[in-house]
Amino acid sequence: MFVLTSKTGERHYTRTILLCAGRGMTQIQKLDIEGANRYELTNLHYTVTDLSRFKDKRVLISGGGDSAIDWANEMVKWARQVIVVHRRHEFTAHELPVAQMKASAKVMTPYSINCLYGVDNHIDSVALKHSETGVIEQIEVDEVLVNHGFDRDFGDLLKWGLDKEDYGVSVDPRMRTSIPGIFGAGDFITYGSKVRLIAGAFNDAVLAVNSAKLYLDPIAPDMAGVSSHNARFFEKNKAIMQE
């Protein structure tokens, strides 16, 4: 028996739990450098609200995904210079935008931001570290844009002791987690043939509910029925059709 306790103190007793936490609470992945937050109100950006702010400036963009590359391609229309740094040689963004970015911006790979230098909470230059050699290169900049994706926060769910992988909690083909009685569905879980589409999440949920039924009633049929095939609804369905 599981006891679920809410923040208000309510307690719920159950033999099965179905976890459908999606991708969790998403938060912007900020620059993990000591003191970086003091520049957030000046020229360290995680989002862009006004492209004109970057007009005729030297802009450094850190990231290798679609957001970073798309902003780089927009920035070149405004900025004096756009420098894109990425910790790997290969970018994860789509090929065409990457090709456009390489043709119009300065690309530095594999580099990552190592340190920020500034006066009065304003970044003047950035130290970049080569990911393979460790060599540090310092360049002057006017604006810094960081697009490192998002962190996922599942609160205390991951403290339950569930087996997990990089992309979610591990389940078997019947959506069973490593703790008997706990099942999962949707983007919260992962398995070999997982499809991260809403249609796939619906299928996960059906399998999970069927598995929960079998967990509670081991002699129940492996293949669950549907309401339209249930004898209880035969007369009701017949009456509806006659109407």
Side-chain angles (χ1 to χ4, degrees):
M1 182 69 69
F2 298 103
V3 181
L4 302 178
T5 305
S6 71
K7 288 185 176 180
T8 60
E10 295 178 357
R11 306 182 78 186
H12 304 272
Y13 297 84
T14 181
R15 290 179 57 199
T16 57
I17 298 172
L18 174 53
L19 297 173
C20 308
R23 295 183 62 82
M25 296 291 292
T26 56
Q27 299 174 337
I28 292 176
Q29 192 174 95
K30 293 191 174 184
L31 199 58
D32 188 18
I33 293 178
E34 185 177 356
N37 60 335
R38 71 188 181 99
Y39 299 111
E40 291 181 12
L41 297 178
T42 53
N43 60 338
L44 174 60
H45 312 274
Y46 295 100
T47 58
V48 177
T49 57
D50 183 8
L51 277 168
S52 64
R53 174 192 176 92
F54 303 91
K55 183 175 176 59
D56 299 327
K57 293 184 178 180
R58 296 165 298 185
V59 182
L60 183 141
I61 300 177
S62 178
D66 290 306
S67 295
I69 305 310
D70 289 345
W71 280 124
N73 288 329
E74 289 296 320
M75 288 290 181
V76 294
K77 305 171 187 176
W78 295 83
R80 186 203 325 173
Q81 183 185 31
V82 174
I83 305 165
V84 179
V85 298
H86 183 42
R87 59 181 176 172
R88 300 187 182 94
H89 288 292
E90 299 297 326
F91 292 87
T92 58
H94 291 93
E95 293 180 2
L96 180 58
V98 169
Q100 294 171 338
M101 177 267 299
K102 289 182 176 180
S104 57
K106 179 179 179 180
V107 178
M108 298 181 67
T109 60
Y111 281 91
S112 59
I113 297 177
N114 186 66
C115 190
L116 303 174
Y117 298 99
V119 179
D120 296 331
N121 297 333
H122 188 280
I123 301 170
D124 296 321
S125 63
V126 175
L128 303 176
K129 183 178 181 179
H130 195 281
S131 301
E132 297 172 352
T133 65
V135 173
I136 301 293
E137 182 173 345
Q138 188 167 336
I139 60 174
E140 295 182 351
V141 297
D142 299 307
E143 306 282 348
V144 177
L145 173 62
V146 175
N147 286 139
H148 290 174
F150 296 89
D151 287 323
R152 297 193 291 167
D153 182 8
F154 293 107
D156 292 333
L157 285 179
L158 296 185
K159 298 179 182 178
W160 291 14
L162 298 163
D163 289 347
K164 58 186 176 63
E165 301 174 36
D166 290 340
Y167 293 98
V169 168
S170 303
V171 297
D172 66 11
R174 287 185 174 270
M175 304 300 115
R176 296 176 294 199
T177 69
S178 57
I179 298 179
I182 300 181
F183 308 86
D187 286 345
F188 178 66
I189 62 168
T190 189
Y191 51 90
S193 57
K194 173 65 180 170
V195 177
R196 299 192 182 279
L197 295 173
I198 192 167
F202 284 133
N203 189 63
D204 293 343
V206 172
L207 292 173
V209 170
N210 287 348
S211 295
K213 168 63 177 177
L214 285 169
Y215 179 79
L216 295 171
D217 182 8
I219 64 172
D222 284 346
M223 178 63 72
V226 295
S227 60
S228 59
H229 298 160
N230 194 310
R232 298 179 184 179
F233 294 99
F234 180 78
E235 293 300 328
K236 290 185 177 181
N237 290 337
K238 184 177 180 180
I240 291 173
M241 293 179 64
Q242 289 176 346
E243 290 178 2

